[in-house]
Amino acid sequence: MTTNLIHWLLYGGAMGLIVIGIVGVVTLTNIFRIILALVIAEAGANLLLVIAGYRFDAIAPILTGQALSAMPTTQIMVDPVPQAMVLTSIVIGVGVQALALALVLKVYKNYQTLDLREIHHRMLADIDHSSGVISLLSEEQPKGERPLPEPETKNVLNSGGEK
Amino acid sequence: MNNIAFNVALPLLTAFLLPIISSGSKSATRFVGPFVLLAMLWFALAYFNVLQHPVAIALGGFLPPLGISFHLDNLSLLMAALIPLMMLLLWPYNNREGFREESLLLLLAGAASGLALSGDLFNIYVFYELLSVASFGLAAANRTAAAFAATFRYVIISGLGTVLALTGIALIYTQTGTLNLAHIGLLASQLNNPVGLSAFALIVIGIGVKAEIFPVNGWVPEVYSTASPRISALLAGLISKLAVLVIIRLLVVAYQGSQALTLLLVLGMLGIIWGELSAWHSKDLKRMFSFSSIGQLGMVLVAFSIPGDAGMAAGIAMMLHHLVVKPGMFLLTENWNGPIKKLKGAATSSPLAAFLFMLFALSMIGVPPLPGFWAKLLLVTGLVEANAPLYIIALVVLLTATVIEAHYLMSTALKIFSRGKKKHFKKLLQTPFNLTIATIFGAVLLAALFTLTPLGNKLNQIATESSDRSLYIKTTLSLKLPPQVKQQVSKVQ
Amino acid sequence: MRNISALVFASGLAFLLLVITWQFILGGAPMLIGEAILQQAAEELGAANLVTSVVLGYRGIDTLGEIAILFTASTATSLVLSSIAEKTSAKSKPGLRDDGTILASSASLFFPLLMTIGLYIILHGHLTPGGGFQGGVILAAAFFLPLLAVPGRGVNHSGLALVEGFAGASFIVIGIIALFQGKAFLQPLFGHGEMGSLLSAGSLPLLYIAVGLKVGAELSGLLANLAEPSGNGDETLSATESASTEQTSMQAEKTKS
């Protein structure tokens, strides 16, 4: 009975993490927090995988001591396959998160905001502008993509601050 | 016989070494990519020629349910051959800006090949993620502010999809205790419960991010209108098809029940309605094509939701048709990216491009002699023969969508062929490179028109083979089974 | 409107997941392949750590995909950030303070320790818990710690690229060697050796060394790429620039409403 309860709690916890993460991704507007919510959801999915291979009173699937010579072992071991999968999926998550962070850096540099709705509006305006659908900027301003912030000004500010 | 693994190993190897190669010689960087793609094409075609019946290959020498296996049949080899072919056509030959984009494209090619061939659920997930990350990099490669913002949204939606797909895979693992698709197929009865079905729904929505499936396709118009047309062509033409292929494999092997089909049908219909209406509403070519791509993939999904060989044949036909037409269309948007109103006189400044646009548009609408008509005909007859209320609704949706499609494509064509001012001529001129590639796509479309009978026969053969569930299972599990699994297998049977 | 549909989507998913939890068959999953692997992995691969035999043996191509994903992420990150990275590749930037002797010297004190632990974990991946990924992360930490302590310190990107490239390539080359010996791609080579000793499990330790070096180099490059622009101070848009963006956003809002 208790094992069942614990099992249910574990599954419920993993699912809860996923739900928290997804709701966070959908409702939050700060893009950095959205990444954090995604991390939580990923943690939930990974937890679910680990639990799928868990068995009570079992040891880690590593042969030590006597078990090395006497194969197959009599000890119960947990399932090694989900552990390998979780290893893979954690590394995948790290890669995606790093890329997302790099994009946040660039988005912030270009739009000076972390608010998703504002970024979305600006982006749509930029797309409209570059395809010329609604002329948002007046005729005097240069045509084409909005230039990236110029590095020269930044250096001037930096060195000015140092003095 | 094991050299199909090269289709995954070779591009990855080259991509790993590309930074080192490029620090040695810049010109070698430009040649090595196309050369590797040619080699991949050769490997895939070599298999295609000798393949009599489906074959499974155990990677690492470990037999399928324990190790990972590649499943080779006509469909997966067709995709494996199309990947390097499309890549060669859309390769950035004139890119002088370092090696990173080439590297990402090679990684994309390797991941796509793995996705097409793999017969293991988690392995599919890994290759799908590799495909995603490579496409993120390519989508942001333009390095404009809007491209970064669009890619960020793409990353987040994909990340959400990843979590859902992983949850689905974990659920399938808790229900069956295995990851090999064929083995899952053998144990399919254990998935015929709410948990199993929701696992399927989660995987469809998760993988569906790349397949532009209805609730998770918000990134499509943004990314396609900020990325360069080559990348849009690649993502819309090739990558979306691979995601669809994964869903189809899972559907055929493990979920033959009606509920999974209904899910696909409903998602497909919503995709058609949303995509076509938005395309009708949009004011520039790039976004019009992005939305119409969503609509077309909805049609593909509807086609695959028809049970039996008929649905499979219609789906594959729609898929291949879209794979040829959409990249050609996206290549034309490079210099025609202004509002549709300003396309006046485009036909006089580059008549070939206008002719190609007309060809692609007519084929997409489904005007009789063109290949698009035959694909849509297969779909319509399939829907009529399925003879269930939901399929009739889908038929109505499909026909309405066709009318809408015809309206917005033809009104654009009218603009293109109308007389314009002389001063716009230069702006509307297509670059010779894009025009050449688009012409190749157009030529393929016309060539298909003249080889309809052999193509139809081949299509039917592929459809029968790939909708055969027991053949798939038998192919993979006929390799010598380890005794413990054999025991469990016989217990289940 | 978009928010409402997103909320509906999220709550639908949440409901689905919670219903699944309720429906779960209690008592754990059937271990079909897990059980079989536990039974025969030691015999087939000769690695005492059975997770390692799954990671590098049974699911070796997953691991290849995984290191490829890390490589892709770092390539994509440097593509995204490259306009900055190219400009700040100079070894030390003026205008960054040294954050004190204690931090700097303890970072260099930790460097050899972390390197040793990382390499130990990589080399014993087939015997004890740990392996290429875990060790690789520790290696990356060894390289990243000095970067945190002394933010201006540059990272040798070309050296990292060299390690990355060759480590990744050697993983695939080991796989291809097996192919040329008439075996399957990524099939373990050499004999098993005596189980439990350092030189055992065939080519698995070699693969893990390749993975460890690759993960270490990849993560250090990734972190250094992310750390470099932030060490650069806040960027401010020029006056005209911000004016035009404001205008854009205002007009965007106008068109929205």
Side-chain angles (χ1 to χ4, degrees), chain A residues 15 26 55 61 63 68 79 88 91 98 106 109 136 146 157-158 162, chain C residues 6 21 31 34 48 50 66 80 83 95 195 232 235-236 241 245 251:
Chain A
M15 290 295 191
V26 172
R55 289 204 285 187
L63 305 172
L68 277 174
D79 192 345
T88 309
V91 175
K106 287 303 264 191
K109 279 212 165 82
L136 280 165
R146 215 145 47 78
L157 286 177
N158 260 7
E162 270 309 301
Chain C
T21 319
M31 271 174 51
L50 300 181
E66 182 182 355
V80 167
S83 53
M195 195 158 68
N232 231 353
E235 294 210 4
T236 3
E241 193 43 53
T245 48
Q251 268 158 346

PDB file of all heavy atoms in Angstrom, chain A residues 15 26 55 61 63 68 79 88 91 98 106 109 136 146 157-158 162, chain C residues 6 21 31 34 48 50 66 80 83 95 195 232 235-236 241 245 251:
ATOM      1  N   MET A  15       4.648  14.707 -13.083  1.00  0.00           N
ATOM      2  CA  MET A  15       3.624  15.334 -13.919  1.00  0.00           C
ATOM      3  C   MET A  15       3.389  16.772 -13.468  1.00  0.00           C
ATOM      4  O   MET A  15       3.204  17.674 -14.288  1.00  0.00           O
ATOM      5  CB  MET A  15       2.308  14.556 -13.815  1.00  0.00           C
ATOM      6  CG  MET A  15       2.358  13.205 -14.475  1.00  0.00           C
ATOM      7  SD  MET A  15       2.572  13.374 -16.241  1.00  0.00           S
ATOM      8  CE  MET A  15       2.274  11.711 -16.763  1.00  0.00           C
ATOM      9  N   VAL A  26       3.603  29.203 -21.035  1.00  0.00           N
ATOM     10  CA  VAL A  26       2.488  29.820 -21.754  1.00  0.00           C
ATOM     11  C   VAL A  26       2.093  31.160 -21.157  1.00  0.00           C
ATOM     12  O   VAL A  26       1.758  32.097 -21.881  1.00  0.00           O
ATOM     13  CB  VAL A  26       1.292  28.844 -21.775  1.00  0.00           C
ATOM     14  CG1 VAL A  26       0.067  29.514 -22.326  1.00  0.00           C
ATOM     15  CG2 VAL A  26       1.635  27.635 -22.607  1.00  0.00           C
ATOM     16  N   ARG A  55      12.787   0.701  -9.361  1.00  0.00           N
ATOM     17  CA  ARG A  55      12.173  -0.426  -8.652  1.00  0.00           C
ATOM     18  C   ARG A  55      12.553  -0.320  -7.185  1.00  0.00           C
ATOM     19  O   ARG A  55      13.672   0.069  -6.856  1.00  0.00           O
ATOM     20  CB  ARG A  55      12.669  -1.755  -9.212  1.00  0.00           C
ATOM     21  CG  ARG A  55      12.114  -2.027 -10.585  1.00  0.00           C
ATOM     22  CD  ARG A  55      12.105  -3.484 -10.886  1.00  0.00           C
ATOM     23  NE  ARG A  55      13.450  -3.976 -11.176  1.00  0.00           N
ATOM     24  CZ  ARG A  55      13.677  -5.204 -11.608  1.00  0.00           C
ATOM     25  NH1 ARG A  55      12.702  -6.054 -11.770  1.00  0.00           N
ATOM     26  NH2 ARG A  55      14.901  -5.585 -11.851  1.00  0.00           N
ATOM     27  N   PRO A  61      22.586  -0.103 -11.310  1.00  0.00           N
ATOM     28  CA  PRO A  61      23.050  -1.162 -12.212  1.00  0.00           C
ATOM     29  C   PRO A  61      24.556  -1.119 -12.442  1.00  0.00           C
ATOM     30  O   PRO A  61      25.021  -0.970 -13.558  1.00  0.00           O
ATOM     31  CB  PRO A  61      22.267  -0.889 -13.489  1.00  0.00           C
ATOM     32  CG  PRO A  61      21.982   0.552 -13.451  1.00  0.00           C
ATOM     33  CD  PRO A  61      21.853   0.931 -12.025  1.00  0.00           C
ATOM     34  N   LEU A  63      28.060  -3.324 -11.376  1.00  0.00           N
ATOM     35  CA  LEU A  63      28.554  -4.530 -10.720  1.00  0.00           C
ATOM     36  C   LEU A  63      29.769  -4.178  -9.882  1.00  0.00           C
ATOM     37  O   LEU A  63      30.716  -3.574 -10.363  1.00  0.00           O
ATOM     38  CB  LEU A  63      28.934  -5.572 -11.769  1.00  0.00           C
ATOM     39  CG  LEU A  63      27.825  -5.925 -12.755  1.00  0.00           C
ATOM     40  CD1 LEU A  63      28.364  -6.816 -13.847  1.00  0.00           C
ATOM     41  CD2 LEU A  63      26.680  -6.575 -12.048  1.00  0.00           C
ATOM     42  N   LEU A  68      30.991  -9.064  -9.615  1.00  0.00           N
ATOM     43  CA  LEU A  68      31.812  -9.028 -10.820  1.00  0.00           C
ATOM     44  C   LEU A  68      32.099 -10.417 -11.347  1.00  0.00           C
ATOM     45  O   LEU A  68      32.143 -10.646 -12.555  1.00  0.00           O
ATOM     46  CB  LEU A  68      33.137  -8.310 -10.518  1.00  0.00           C
ATOM     47  CG  LEU A  68      33.075  -6.794 -10.578  1.00  0.00           C
ATOM     48  CD1 LEU A  68      34.386  -6.213 -10.136  1.00  0.00           C
ATOM     49  CD2 LEU A  68      32.761  -6.349 -11.985  1.00  0.00           C
ATOM     50  N   ASP A  79      16.342  -0.404 -13.730  1.00  0.00           N
ATOM     51  CA  ASP A  79      16.452  -0.481 -15.187  1.00  0.00           C
ATOM     52  C   ASP A  79      17.531   0.488 -15.683  1.00  0.00           C
ATOM     53  O   ASP A  79      17.436   1.687 -15.427  1.00  0.00           O
ATOM     54  CB  ASP A  79      15.082  -0.101 -15.773  1.00  0.00           C
ATOM     55  CG  ASP A  79      14.983  -0.430 -17.239  1.00  0.00           C
ATOM     56  OD1 ASP A  79      16.039  -0.676 -17.847  1.00  0.00           O
ATOM     57  OD2 ASP A  79      13.861  -0.424 -17.767  1.00  0.00           O
ATOM     58  N   THR A  88      21.141  11.351 -21.770  1.00  0.00           N
ATOM     59  CA  THR A  88      21.059  11.971 -23.088  1.00  0.00           C
ATOM     60  C   THR A  88      20.173  13.205 -23.060  1.00  0.00           C
ATOM     61  O   THR A  88      20.551  14.261 -23.572  1.00  0.00           O
ATOM     62  CB  THR A  88      20.500  10.959 -24.092  1.00  0.00           C
ATOM     63  OG1 THR A  88      21.245   9.768 -23.982  1.00  0.00           O
ATOM     64  CG2 THR A  88      20.595  11.472 -25.494  1.00  0.00           C
ATOM     65  N   VAL A  91      21.633  16.342 -21.408  1.00  0.00           N
ATOM     66  CA  VAL A  91      22.631  17.022 -22.229  1.00  0.00           C
ATOM     67  C   VAL A  91      21.950  17.799 -23.361  1.00  0.00           C
ATOM     68  O   VAL A  91      22.312  18.937 -23.663  1.00  0.00           O
ATOM     69  CB  VAL A  91      23.649  16.008 -22.776  1.00  0.00           C
ATOM     70  CG1 VAL A  91      24.604  16.682 -23.726  1.00  0.00           C
ATOM     71  CG2 VAL A  91      24.398  15.383 -21.636  1.00  0.00           C
ATOM     72  N   ALA A  98      21.318  26.743 -23.630  1.00  0.00           N
ATOM     73  CA  ALA A  98      22.407  27.669 -23.930  1.00  0.00           C
ATOM     74  C   ALA A  98      22.078  28.490 -25.171  1.00  0.00           C
ATOM     75  O   ALA A  98      22.276  29.711 -25.202  1.00  0.00           O
ATOM     76  CB  ALA A  98      23.710  26.904 -24.132  1.00  0.00           C
ATOM     77  N   LYS A 106      20.848  38.396 -27.508  1.00  0.00           N
ATOM     78  CA  LYS A 106      20.782  39.175 -28.739  1.00  0.00           C
ATOM     79  C   LYS A 106      19.475  39.949 -28.842  1.00  0.00           C
ATOM     80  O   LYS A 106      19.468  41.103 -29.263  1.00  0.00           O
ATOM     81  CB  LYS A 106      20.928  38.254 -29.953  1.00  0.00           C
ATOM     82  CG  LYS A 106      22.306  37.726 -30.163  1.00  0.00           C
ATOM     83  CD  LYS A 106      23.296  38.840 -30.309  1.00  0.00           C
ATOM     84  CE  LYS A 106      23.578  39.169 -31.742  1.00  0.00           C
ATOM     85  NZ  LYS A 106      24.733  40.062 -31.879  1.00  0.00           N
ATOM     86  N   LYS A 109      19.704  42.913 -26.630  1.00  0.00           N
ATOM     87  CA  LYS A 109      20.573  43.944 -27.200  1.00  0.00           C
ATOM     88  C   LYS A 109      19.848  44.738 -28.274  1.00  0.00           C
ATOM     89  O   LYS A 109      20.053  45.923 -28.421  1.00  0.00           O
ATOM     90  CB  LYS A 109      21.812  43.292 -27.811  1.00  0.00           C
ATOM     91  CG  LYS A 109      22.819  42.984 -26.750  1.00  0.00           C
ATOM     92  CD  LYS A 109      24.215  43.090 -27.267  1.00  0.00           C
ATOM     93  CE  LYS A 109      25.157  43.140 -26.102  1.00  0.00           C
ATOM     94  NZ  LYS A 109      25.474  41.839 -25.559  1.00  0.00           N
ATOM     95  N   LEU A 136       5.884  51.615 -41.821  1.00  0.00           N
ATOM     96  CA  LEU A 136       5.834  52.081 -40.446  1.00  0.00           C
ATOM     97  C   LEU A 136       6.713  53.295 -40.246  1.00  0.00           C
ATOM     98  O   LEU A 136       6.410  54.181 -39.478  1.00  0.00           O
ATOM     99  CB  LEU A 136       6.284  50.969 -39.513  1.00  0.00           C
ATOM    100  CG  LEU A 136       5.199  49.941 -39.223  1.00  0.00           C
ATOM    101  CD1 LEU A 136       5.801  48.729 -38.607  1.00  0.00           C
ATOM    102  CD2 LEU A 136       4.161  50.551 -38.311  1.00  0.00           C
ATOM    103  N   ARG A 146      16.689  47.199 -39.950  1.00  0.00           N
ATOM    104  CA  ARG A 146      17.179  48.104 -38.946  1.00  0.00           C
ATOM    105  C   ARG A 146      18.581  47.643 -38.546  1.00  0.00           C
ATOM    106  O   ARG A 146      18.791  46.475 -38.252  1.00  0.00           O
ATOM    107  CB  ARG A 146      16.267  48.055 -37.726  1.00  0.00           C
ATOM    108  CG  ARG A 146      16.126  49.380 -37.051  1.00  0.00           C
ATOM    109  CD  ARG A 146      14.718  49.525 -36.508  1.00  0.00           C
ATOM    110  NE  ARG A 146      14.356  48.324 -35.799  1.00  0.00           N
ATOM    111  CZ  ARG A 146      14.775  48.036 -34.577  1.00  0.00           C
ATOM    112  NH1 ARG A 146      15.598  48.844 -33.952  1.00  0.00           N
ATOM    113  NH2 ARG A 146      14.392  46.953 -33.975  1.00  0.00           N
ATOM    114  N   LEU A 157      31.262  54.701 -24.318  1.00  0.00           N
ATOM    115  CA  LEU A 157      30.596  54.791 -23.023  1.00  0.00           C
ATOM    116  C   LEU A 157      31.395  54.057 -21.965  1.00  0.00           C
ATOM    117  O   LEU A 157      31.578  54.529 -20.851  1.00  0.00           O
ATOM    118  CB  LEU A 157      29.194  54.195 -23.133  1.00  0.00           C
ATOM    119  CG  LEU A 157      28.180  55.061 -23.877  1.00  0.00           C
ATOM    120  CD1 LEU A 157      26.876  54.328 -23.988  1.00  0.00           C
ATOM    121  CD2 LEU A 157      27.992  56.385 -23.176  1.00  0.00           C
ATOM    122  N   ASN A 158      31.892  52.896 -22.329  1.00  0.00           N
ATOM    123  CA  ASN A 158      32.629  52.083 -21.372  1.00  0.00           C
ATOM    124  C   ASN A 158      33.872  52.808 -20.865  1.00  0.00           C
ATOM    125  O   ASN A 158      34.115  52.886 -19.678  1.00  0.00           O
ATOM    126  CB  ASN A 158      33.077  50.776 -22.046  1.00  0.00           C
ATOM    127  CG  ASN A 158      32.134  49.656 -21.661  1.00  0.00           C
ATOM    128  OD1 ASN A 158      31.130  49.918 -21.018  1.00  0.00           O
ATOM    129  ND2 ASN A 158      32.456  48.455 -22.034  1.00  0.00           N
ATOM    130  N   GLU A 162      34.998  54.314 -17.106  1.00  0.00           N
ATOM    131  CA  GLU A 162      36.199  53.912 -16.387  1.00  0.00           C
ATOM    132  C   GLU A 162      36.926  55.096 -15.771  1.00  0.00           C
ATOM    133  O   GLU A 162      37.431  55.024 -14.668  1.00  0.00           O
ATOM    134  CB  GLU A 162      37.154  53.186 -17.350  1.00  0.00           C
ATOM    135  CG  GLU A 162      36.938  51.688 -17.401  1.00  0.00           C
ATOM    136  CD  GLU A 162      36.913  51.060 -16.019  1.00  0.00           C
ATOM    137  OE1 GLU A 162      37.915  51.193 -15.293  1.00  0.00           O
ATOM    138  OE2 GLU A 162      35.895  50.455 -15.651  1.00  0.00           O
TER     139      GLU A 162
ATOM    140  N   ALA C   6      -3.715  30.281 -25.712  1.00  0.00           N
ATOM    141  CA  ALA C   6      -2.571  29.624 -25.090  1.00  0.00           C
ATOM    142  C   ALA C   6      -2.961  29.021 -23.753  1.00  0.00           C
ATOM    143  O   ALA C   6      -2.573  27.893 -23.417  1.00  0.00           O
ATOM    144  CB  ALA C   6      -1.440  30.632 -24.910  1.00  0.00           C
ATOM    145  N   THR C  21      -1.916  10.608 -14.848  1.00  0.00           N
ATOM    146  CA  THR C  21      -1.370  10.207 -13.557  1.00  0.00           C
ATOM    147  C   THR C  21      -2.387   9.360 -12.795  1.00  0.00           C
ATOM    148  O   THR C  21      -2.049   8.348 -12.182  1.00  0.00           O
ATOM    149  CB  THR C  21      -1.027  11.456 -12.720  1.00  0.00           C
ATOM    150  OG1 THR C  21      -0.450  12.412 -13.572  1.00  0.00           O
ATOM    151  CG2 THR C  21      -0.087  11.116 -11.609  1.00  0.00           C
ATOM    152  N   MET C  31       9.783  -4.267 -17.307  1.00  0.00           N
ATOM    153  CA  MET C  31      11.162  -3.997 -17.744  1.00  0.00           C
ATOM    154  C   MET C  31      11.563  -4.995 -18.812  1.00  0.00           C
ATOM    155  O   MET C  31      12.354  -5.882 -18.560  1.00  0.00           O
ATOM    156  CB  MET C  31      12.108  -4.107 -16.558  1.00  0.00           C
ATOM    157  CG  MET C  31      12.292  -2.811 -15.809  1.00  0.00           C
ATOM    158  SD  MET C  31      13.275  -3.041 -14.347  1.00  0.00           S
ATOM    159  CE  MET C  31      14.705  -3.894 -14.965  1.00  0.00           C
ATOM    160  N   GLY C  34      15.026  -3.735 -20.306  1.00  0.00           N
ATOM    161  CA  GLY C  34      15.900  -3.482 -19.165  1.00  0.00           C
ATOM    162  C   GLY C  34      16.378  -4.781 -18.537  1.00  0.00           C
ATOM    163  O   GLY C  34      17.575  -4.971 -18.290  1.00  0.00           O
ATOM    164  N   ALA C  48      31.710  -3.048 -16.108  1.00  0.00           N
ATOM    165  CA  ALA C  48      31.071  -3.263 -14.813  1.00  0.00           C
ATOM    166  C   ALA C  48      29.900  -2.308 -14.629  1.00  0.00           C
ATOM    167  O   ALA C  48      28.917  -2.654 -13.982  1.00  0.00           O
ATOM    168  CB  ALA C  48      32.086  -3.066 -13.697  1.00  0.00           C
ATOM    169  N   LEU C  50      26.771  -0.978 -15.891  1.00  0.00           N
ATOM    170  CA  LEU C  50      25.852  -1.405 -16.949  1.00  0.00           C
ATOM    171  C   LEU C  50      25.222  -0.217 -17.667  1.00  0.00           C
ATOM    172  O   LEU C  50      24.853  -0.328 -18.828  1.00  0.00           O
ATOM    173  CB  LEU C  50      24.769  -2.312 -16.360  1.00  0.00           C
ATOM    174  CG  LEU C  50      25.297  -3.587 -15.704  1.00  0.00           C
ATOM    175  CD1 LEU C  50      24.161  -4.418 -15.177  1.00  0.00           C
ATOM    176  CD2 LEU C  50      26.116  -4.397 -16.691  1.00  0.00           C
ATOM    177  N   GLU C  66      23.853  12.811 -29.405  1.00  0.00           N
ATOM    178  CA  GLU C  66      23.886  13.725 -28.282  1.00  0.00           C
ATOM    179  C   GLU C  66      25.104  14.656 -28.347  1.00  0.00           C
ATOM    180  O   GLU C  66      24.965  15.872 -28.180  1.00  0.00           O
ATOM    181  CB  GLU C  66      23.932  12.842 -27.054  1.00  0.00           C
ATOM    182  CG  GLU C  66      23.916  13.486 -25.765  1.00  0.00           C
ATOM    183  CD  GLU C  66      24.023  12.409 -24.699  1.00  0.00           C
ATOM    184  OE1 GLU C  66      24.012  11.213 -25.044  1.00  0.00           O
ATOM    185  OE2 GLU C  66      24.136  12.772 -23.540  1.00  0.00           O
ATOM    186  N   VAL C  80      25.078  32.896 -33.560  1.00  0.00           N
ATOM    187  CA  VAL C  80      24.189  33.951 -33.076  1.00  0.00           C
ATOM    188  C   VAL C  80      24.993  35.090 -32.470  1.00  0.00           C
ATOM    189  O   VAL C  80      24.719  36.265 -32.702  1.00  0.00           O
ATOM    190  CB  VAL C  80      23.204  33.367 -32.044  1.00  0.00           C
ATOM    191  CG1 VAL C  80      22.497  34.468 -31.285  1.00  0.00           C
ATOM    192  CG2 VAL C  80      22.186  32.493 -32.733  1.00  0.00           C
ATOM    193  N   SER C  83      28.864  38.274 -33.973  1.00  0.00           N
ATOM    194  CA  SER C  83      29.228  39.675 -34.208  1.00  0.00           C
ATOM    195  C   SER C  83      29.948  40.247 -32.997  1.00  0.00           C
ATOM    196  O   SER C  83      30.769  41.123 -33.112  1.00  0.00           O
ATOM    197  CB  SER C  83      27.979  40.503 -34.501  1.00  0.00           C
ATOM    198  OG  SER C  83      27.039  40.301 -33.469  1.00  0.00           O
ATOM    199  N   GLY C  95      39.439  48.024 -19.006  1.00  0.00           N
ATOM    200  CA  GLY C  95      38.185  48.480 -18.452  1.00  0.00           C
ATOM    201  C   GLY C  95      37.473  47.418 -17.633  1.00  0.00           C
ATOM    202  O   GLY C  95      36.362  47.622 -17.205  1.00  0.00           O
ATOM    203  N   MET C 195      37.028  -8.061 -16.333  1.00  0.00           N
ATOM    204  CA  MET C 195      36.014  -7.124 -15.920  1.00  0.00           C
ATOM    205  C   MET C 195      36.364  -6.501 -14.579  1.00  0.00           C
ATOM    206  O   MET C 195      36.824  -7.169 -13.674  1.00  0.00           O
ATOM    207  CB  MET C 195      34.651  -7.792 -15.822  1.00  0.00           C
ATOM    208  CG  MET C 195      33.560  -6.767 -15.761  1.00  0.00           C
ATOM    209  SD  MET C 195      31.983  -7.381 -16.258  1.00  0.00           S
ATOM    210  CE  MET C 195      31.626  -8.494 -14.951  1.00  0.00           C
ATOM    211  N   ASN C 232      31.290  42.636 -21.187  1.00  0.00           N
ATOM    212  CA  ASN C 232      31.541  43.808 -22.005  1.00  0.00           C
ATOM    213  C   ASN C 232      30.817  45.044 -21.524  1.00  0.00           C
ATOM    214  O   ASN C 232      30.964  46.110 -22.080  1.00  0.00           O
ATOM    215  CB  ASN C 232      31.065  43.503 -23.421  1.00  0.00           C
ATOM    216  CG  ASN C 232      32.121  43.806 -24.411  1.00  0.00           C
ATOM    217  OD1 ASN C 232      33.143  44.347 -24.053  1.00  0.00           O
ATOM    218  ND2 ASN C 232      31.876  43.476 -25.655  1.00  0.00           N
ATOM    219  N   GLU C 235      25.127  47.483 -23.172  1.00  0.00           N
ATOM    220  CA  GLU C 235      25.150  48.207 -24.433  1.00  0.00           C
ATOM    221  C   GLU C 235      23.985  49.179 -24.445  1.00  0.00           C
ATOM    222  O   GLU C 235      22.905  48.890 -23.961  1.00  0.00           O
ATOM    223  CB  GLU C 235      25.006  47.231 -25.593  1.00  0.00           C
ATOM    224  CG  GLU C 235      26.183  46.311 -25.694  1.00  0.00           C
ATOM    225  CD  GLU C 235      26.423  45.881 -27.111  1.00  0.00           C
ATOM    226  OE1 GLU C 235      25.714  46.373 -28.003  1.00  0.00           O
ATOM    227  OE2 GLU C 235      27.320  45.078 -27.318  1.00  0.00           O
ATOM    228  N   THR C 236      24.234  50.319 -24.988  1.00  0.00           N
ATOM    229  CA  THR C 236      23.144  51.284 -25.107  1.00  0.00           C
ATOM    230  C   THR C 236      22.985  51.635 -26.565  1.00  0.00           C
ATOM    231  O   THR C 236      23.957  51.766 -27.300  1.00  0.00           O
ATOM    232  CB  THR C 236      23.444  52.568 -24.327  1.00  0.00           C
ATOM    233  OG1 THR C 236      24.736  52.446 -23.768  1.00  0.00           O
ATOM    234  CG2 THR C 236      22.412  52.792 -23.280  1.00  0.00           C
ATOM    235  N   GLU C 241      18.857  55.726 -32.756  1.00  0.00           N
ATOM    236  CA  GLU C 241      18.439  54.336 -32.826  1.00  0.00           C
ATOM    237  C   GLU C 241      17.225  54.112 -31.923  1.00  0.00           C
ATOM    238  O   GLU C 241      16.198  53.605 -32.344  1.00  0.00           O
ATOM    239  CB  GLU C 241      19.630  53.473 -32.384  1.00  0.00           C
ATOM    240  CG  GLU C 241      19.555  52.012 -32.653  1.00  0.00           C
ATOM    241  CD  GLU C 241      19.042  51.657 -34.005  1.00  0.00           C
ATOM    242  OE1 GLU C 241      19.586  52.169 -35.005  1.00  0.00           O
ATOM    243  OE2 GLU C 241      18.099  50.871 -34.086  1.00  0.00           O
ATOM    244  N   THR C 245      13.333  53.086 -32.729  1.00  0.00           N
ATOM    245  CA  THR C 245      12.666  51.874 -32.240  1.00  0.00           C
ATOM    246  C   THR C 245      11.402  52.242 -31.494  1.00  0.00           C
ATOM    247  O   THR C 245      10.399  51.559 -31.594  1.00  0.00           O
ATOM    248  CB  THR C 245      13.572  51.057 -31.314  1.00  0.00           C
ATOM    249  OG1 THR C 245      14.155  51.933 -30.365  1.00  0.00           O
ATOM    250  CG2 THR C 245      14.640  50.329 -32.080  1.00  0.00           C
ATOM    251  N   GLN C 251       4.064  52.858 -33.398  1.00  0.00           N
ATOM    252  CA  GLN C 251       3.220  52.676 -34.572  1.00  0.00           C
ATOM    253  C   GLN C 251       2.673  51.262 -34.634  1.00  0.00           C
ATOM    254  O   GLN C 251       1.548  51.041 -35.066  1.00  0.00           O
ATOM    255  CB  GLN C 251       4.004  52.995 -35.830  1.00  0.00           C
ATOM    256  CG  GLN C 251       3.824  54.452 -36.204  1.00  0.00           C
ATOM    257  CD  GLN C 251       4.922  54.950 -37.078  1.00  0.00           C
ATOM    258  OE1 GLN C 251       5.952  54.307 -37.217  1.00  0.00           O
ATOM    259  NE2 GLN C 251       4.726  56.094 -37.677  1.00  0.00           N
TER     260      GLN C 251
END
